[in-house]
Amino acid sequence: MNTIVGVSTAPGIGGIGIIRMSGEDTFKILDKIFVPKHKQEINDIKGYTIKYGNIIENNEIIDEVLVSYFKSPKSYTMENMCEINSHGGNLIIKKILEICLKNGAEMAEPGEFTKRAFLNGRIDLAQAESVIDIINAKSDREAKSGVKQLEGFLSKEIKEIKQNILDVLVNIEVTIDYPEYDTPEVQKKEIKDMLENIGKKLTKLEKSFDNGKIVKDGIKTAIIGKPNAGKSSLLNAILKEDRAIVTDIAGTTRDTIEEYVTINGITLKLIDTAGIRQSNDSVEKIGIEKSIEQANEADLVIAIFDCSKELDKEDLEILKLIENKKSIILLNKSDLKNVLNKENDLLKNKSKNILKISALNKTGLEELYNKITEMFQLNEINLDNEVLITNVRHKNIISKAIESVKLANKAILDNMPIDIISIYIKQILDDLGEITGEVVTEDIINEIFSKFCLGK
Ligand code: GDP
């Protein structure tokens, strides 16, 4: 494969910048541009060595650098690789990149280093995908689940399921060739047991996506309430900073604000919606529609009411939005004279989770956090022992595999011949191969890696 070069550090000024090269000609190119203090033949340099020296162009020193050598196959990509640690200015980094390009390297595409690690067989596709999850992690849990996936937890589980299938398939092949080996009845029983077993495992994995999604994307939480109920104040109290504008002029939060916050180790994606009320103002109207949309899309809706006032027509509209949703009703402004209380039937009919808070005085927040933790049974997510599906692509493939299991089962019930049943079983193997990448199209591979950052 050609030799690629990319900048691995983020753009901007920093202490150091890292320019990475990978491919057969890495050391040849390096030889032309790097003058180490102690020159050695490449054959005498061991992998995992760091050398100090200068990057040179036309006999001029461009920068003083440290270069790490990684020799094939012991590198991130399994190819010859080097990492040039230069000073962290944009200009210097760009200059060194250009020198590498001039001397025969080609610009790396986003994620191309990791793609090579996959294509060269060091990691499978699920592991490669976890790299991007680790880079983008917003919480400790998310980072931890990414690292688990990189370690191969999911891949191992998939491999085990595939092995269960293969063991049975081998027997089928033997029987097709030597019919006296086993009776079809014995075989069908064996297949049925296997299908039941892997069906259970796959269903468990599919279910784990509910938790996995929460770990990865956070609980999508919409805070709804009519203007002045205290939505922005609540958001600020949770975020512990003054991000949303708090005013007492009704209808100031016109657009939605999205913020990630970590509570008891779990991420909430908070959406502060515009005040919901009947409005003729066109801008505000868009806001109201958005609120309804957000509430519909949310995993959790927090409906907030001013408990110093009676419920009015607009509040009832808001209560309608939490019907059939996971919801919490907050009676805000508990520091004022309470007119509205938890016993109110209109509220009790809509949600069993009703809490009093004062967003202004920041009281009642602990109870809110505990309620959320309890509702989503987050303590049950045990990242150490459980394989979590966090990636929607994996989830879809597993659902597809479960369908294939059902079809195979049906083929047995329909008394199909063994060789037909085995075609259905092979389909399950193909489905699962899409997760780890043995059975996957180039388009899918390209799409996955295009989401990576440059230099990774
Ligand atoms: P939003 O329109 O729903 O976003 O409401 P805001 O957060 O902008 O709050 C509207 C007004 O109510 C502001 O003057 C806040 O200071 C006030 N407010 C919010 N929460 C409380 C509370 O818990 N107690 C009291 N007394 N006032 C509050």
Side-chain angles (χ1 to χ4, degrees), residues 234-264:
L234 174 68
L235 189 72
N236 289 341
I238 295 175
L239 296 172
K240 298 196 181 81
E241 57 178 17
D242 287 332
R243 280 298 285 273
I245 315 150
V246 183
T247 75
D248 40 19
I249 307 161
T252 42
T253 318
R254 292 212 167 155
D255 212 333
T256 55
I257 302 170
E258 281 183 11
E259 289 282 357
Y260 285 96
V261 59
T262 314
I263 287 167
N264 297 342

Side-chain angles (χ1 to χ4, degrees), residues 165-234:
I165 301 173
L166 280 171
D167 289 346
V168 172
L169 268 184
V170 168
N171 274 350
I172 295 177
E173 302 295 329
V174 172
T175 314
I176 290 171
D177 294 340
Y178 305 95
E180 67 281 4
Y181 185 79
D182 245 345
T183 65
E185 280 59 43
V186 173
Q187 285 245 298
K188 282 185 183 170
K189 165 94 177 64
E190 192 190 2
I191 296 170
K192 260 177 114 168
D193 290 349
M194 178 274 286
L195 288 174
E196 194 186 320
N197 174 26
I198 67 162
K200 269 191 204 148
K201 287 185 183 171
L202 289 171
T203 308
K204 190 168 174 223
L205 278 179
E206 190 187 38
K207 270 204 176 147
S208 80
F209 183 67
D210 289 342
N211 282 339
K213 191 171 144 275
I214 287 173
V215 168
K216 189 170 177 190
D217 301 329
I219 303 167
K220 200 168 176 199
T221 309
I223 303 173
I224 62 169
K226 67 176 193 187
N228 272 337
K231 294 178 298 299
S232 310
S233 306
L234 174 68

Side-chain angles (χ1 to χ4, degrees), residues 8 77 112 229 233 282 306 390 415 418:
S8 287
T77 58
E112 196 172 354
S233 306
S282 62
D306 181 342
T390 54
N415 242 335
I418 294 280

Side-chain angles (χ1 to χ4, degrees), residues 251-387:
T252 42
T253 318
R254 292 212 167 155
D255 212 333
T256 55
I257 302 170
E258 281 183 11
E259 289 282 357
Y260 285 96
V261 59
T262 314
I263 287 167
N264 297 342
I266 199 83
T267 307
L268 292 193
K269 185 182 183 185
L270 287 171
I271 307 145
D272 178 25
T273 56
I276 298 180
R277 60 167 195 181
Q278 293 300 319
S279 169
N280 296 321
D281 176 330
S282 62
V283 178
E284 213 169 77
K285 226 172 188 166
I286 295 170
I288 292 166
E289 275 161 19
K290 256 197 180 151
S291 301
I292 297 171
E293 214 173 276
Q294 300 282 12
N296 286 339
E297 282 175 15
D299 303 312
L300 168 68
V301 184
I302 297 179
I304 180 164
F305 301 93
D306 181 342
C307 75
S308 70
K309 298 198 174 98
E310 293 285 356
L311 289 176
D312 64 15
K313 224 177 86 194
E314 289 169 326
D315 288 321
L316 298 181
E317 287 297 310
I318 282 152
L319 279 173
K320 266 194 204 152
L321 292 180
I322 63 173
E323 245 162 40
N324 307 320
K325 299 246 27 154
K326 274 200 172 170
S327 66
I328 298 176
I329 290 178
L330 291 182
L331 302 179
N332 187 32
K333 310 199 186 180
S334 63
D335 53 298
L336 300 179
K337 185 169 168 281
N338 290 189
V339 177
L340 194 61
N341 57 47
K342 290 184 190 175
E343 276 64 50
N344 185 303
D345 282 334
L346 289 170
L347 299 177
K348 267 167 50 184
N349 285 341
K350 296 290 181 199
S351 178
K352 57 181 186 331
N353 308 309
I354 307 177
L355 301 171
K356 283 215 153 160
I357 62 154
S358 167
L360 190 71
N361 295 342
K362 302 188 173 47
T363 56
L365 290 173
E366 260 330 292
E367 285 87 343
L368 172 64
Y369 299 158
N370 291 341
K371 180 57 80 184
I372 295 172
T373 315
E374 177 197 313
M375 283 171 78
F376 287 84
Q377 297 172 323
L378 304 178
N379 293 330
E380 282 182 15
I381 303 180
N382 186 341
L383 286 177
D384 292 329
N385 302 322
E386 230 174 280
V387 179

Side-chain angles (χ1 to χ4, degrees), residues 18-36:
I18 300 178
I19 299 107
R20 223 177 192 190
M21 269 199 283
S22 178
E24 215 173 309
D25 292 339
T26 297
F27 301 133
K28 253 190 235 162
I29 296 170
L30 194 61
D31 211 34
K32 289 192 242 171
I33 67 172
F34 174 57
V35 181

